[in-house]
Amino acid sequence: MKSEPLILGIETSCDETAVGIVRGRTLLANVISSSVEEHARFGGVVPEVASRAHLEAMQPAIAQALKDSGISLSDLDGIAVTAGPGLIGALLVGVSAASALALALDKPLFGVNHLASHVAVDVLTHTKPLEPTIALLVSGGHSSLLKVSDITGDITALGQTMDDAAGEAFDKIARVLGLGFPGGPLIDRDAKAGDRNAIAFPRGLTQAPEMLSRPFDFSFSGLKTAVARYIAATPTAKRADISASFQEAVVDVLTMKAIRACKETGIESLVIAGGVAANSRLRELAGERCATNGIELRTPPPALCTDNGAMVAALGSLAMSSGRKPSEIGVAAESSVPVSRAIWA
Ligand code: KG4
Ligand code: ZN
């Protein structure tokens, strides 16, 4: 069992063709080729367009990652690939490329969970143990609070969104505000010129009865409706105030429930992961609330929060160094998988 395996990770679950290389917990290369501009005019990711873009970008991305890290394919100890959840056609491109590499190089292949890899990327930024930790996983497709005892195999979902994911809410409101796609970074930027206390938008599942029955679940559909109604009824409102007040409503609930999960489980560590973890106000408010409550906060750098290949390589590296059995060559891609299944059998 190698303690610092050299792993190449491939990520193609959505619109980023990403290849990362890590040695143990050290990041050596992180190449990302995004097809986001091809989807922007449709206001969302078009699966067929994404799959074709992955096919075109895959080989150049692998070549660039090898060049950036100064290694050759034969140096690798293993290959990791996102096997789900995600767009099935997009996942298949990554899984095929990874299986071909593993077979040709005769190296182990690890099919890994995209959601667990978002959390695993945390190990690339410090040397402390990751677990135990609470993870607030907030991306374009998922929003959940996780209790992570072992990121390669012991993850419990404490709660999740009942409707939209946090990133999806950002994307939908950005569209209503005419900001463009993807909406998260655009609202983040627009909100800087606004007053976050200008409009008191609702905080889903935070009132007494729901907070008791669903303390760790989220709901953003009521907020979305409230923002849309406000925009229709108040045409003269300042857009930046709406952005800032909407963003505040989202990050207030996310951080409040994450802190509560830490307190109830007695776990004094919180990792915030996924694309929405790049949000500047979420990072700021989480920092304040964690400090007040004596919780150690870990937020990967923004470039490692949105989809990337380094996170996939990081989880593959943790799986290999902890002696996990590799996945089968030709591992089956699956569009919908619970986060508890971190590594494919
Ligand atoms: O993790 P990710 O890159 O892809 C998925 O696995 O879904 O997350 C993408 C989501 C998008 O909804 C995007 O709008 C959101 O993350 N996002 C942000 C920010 N940067 C990306 N949301 C809020 N603020 C940001 N700065
Ligand atoms: Zn993601």
Side-chain angles (χ1 to χ4, degrees):
M1 194 185 345
K2 202 159 177 176
S3 66
E4 296 235 298
L6 185 59
I7 305 287
L8 180 140
I10 297 178
E11 153 63 35
T12 62
S13 70
C14 193
D15 57 341
E16 266 90 30
T17 314
V19 178
I21 297 179
V22 306
R23 187 190 301 278
R25 294 175 62 153
T26 307
L27 177 61
L28 301 182
N30 189 25
V31 175
I32 302 173
S33 164
S34 177
S35 61
V36 69
E37 276 165 19
E38 293 177 54
H39 308 286
R41 69 192 168 101
F42 301 105
V45 176
V46 184
E48 269 73 33
V49 174
S51 306
R52 200 185 53 227
H54 287 313
L55 274 174
E56 286 165 7
M58 181 58 67
Q59 273 188 318
I62 293 173
Q64 187 63 46
L66 292 170
K67 192 166 169 232
D68 290 354
S69 57
I71 63 150
S72 54
L73 282 176
S74 56
D75 298 329
L76 291 169
D77 295 310
I79 311 289
V81 62
T82 301
L87 302 170
I88 193 72
L91 288 166
L92 279 171
V93 179
V95 163
S96 307
S99 297
L101 274 178
L103 196 61
L105 299 168
D106 195 20
K107 300 285 156 117
L109 173 71
F110 293 90
V112 308
N113 188 309
H114 179 81
L115 306 173
S117 356
H118 267 302
V119 179
V121 79
D122 172 65
V123 303
L124 300 180
T125 55
H126 60 84
T127 53
K128 294 184 210 164
L130 169 65
E131 306 97 343
T133 191
I134 295 296
L136 170 65
L137 175 68
V138 274
S139 71
H142 297 84
S143 293
S144 39
L145 269 168
L146 312 171
K147 181 178 162 214
V148 182
S149 304
D150 174 356
I151 193 64
T152 68
D154 188 356
I155 307 170
T156 313
L158 302 175
Q160 57 256 309
T161 181
M162 308 274 77
D163 36 63
D164 288 349
E168 202 177 346
F170 270 96
D171 295 338
K172 287 180 179 167
I173 293 303
R175 194 179 312 158
V176 182
L177 288 172
L179 281 166
F181 173 83
L186 300 167
I187 289 189
D188 194 345
R189 200 177 317 143
D190 196 47
K192 293 199 195 301
D195 174 4
R196 58 179 175 254
N197 299 313
I199 312 145
F201 285 130
R203 271 68 169 155
L205 302 185
T206 56
Q207 297 309 305
E210 295 150 339
M211 197 63 200
L212 282 177
S213 59
R214 299 192 169 277
F216 306 126
D217 288 330
F218 304 107
S219 168
F220 300 108
S221 67
L223 169 63
K224 218 174 53 190
T225 309
V227 177
R229 284 212 183 114
Y230 182 88
I231 294 168
T234 328
T236 54
K238 195 174 149 201
R239 190 182 68 189
D241 285 347
I242 303 174
S243 291
S245 301
F246 158 76
Q247 176 174 271
E248 195 66 11
V250 175
V251 307
D252 182 21
V253 177
L254 293 178
T255 50
M256 191 247 274
K257 294 203 172 205
I259 300 279
R260 176 149 176 172
C262 291
K263 296 209 136 185
E264 282 203 10
T265 54
I267 296 175
E268 293 175 338
S269 159
L270 173 65
V271 175
I272 306 192
V276 181
N279 184 267
S280 61
R281 179 61 187 150
L282 174 58
R283 298 166 82 90
E284 182 182 55
L285 189 61
E288 287 166 17
R289 290 184 172 171
C290 282
T292 309
N293 289 281
I295 295 162
E296 185 182 1
L297 174 65
R298 293 157 185 197
T299 42
L304 293 180
C305 289
T306 43
D307 290 348
N308 63 83
M311 66 188 204
V312 177
L315 184 52
S317 164
L318 292 172
M320 194 165 181
S321 54
S322 64
R324 292 282 307 226
K325 199 167 149 272
S327 313
E328 288 185 9
I329 301 289
V331 53
E334 287 176 51
S335 57
S336 164
V337 199
V339 65
S340 52
R341 191 166 149 219
I343 313 288
W344 265 238

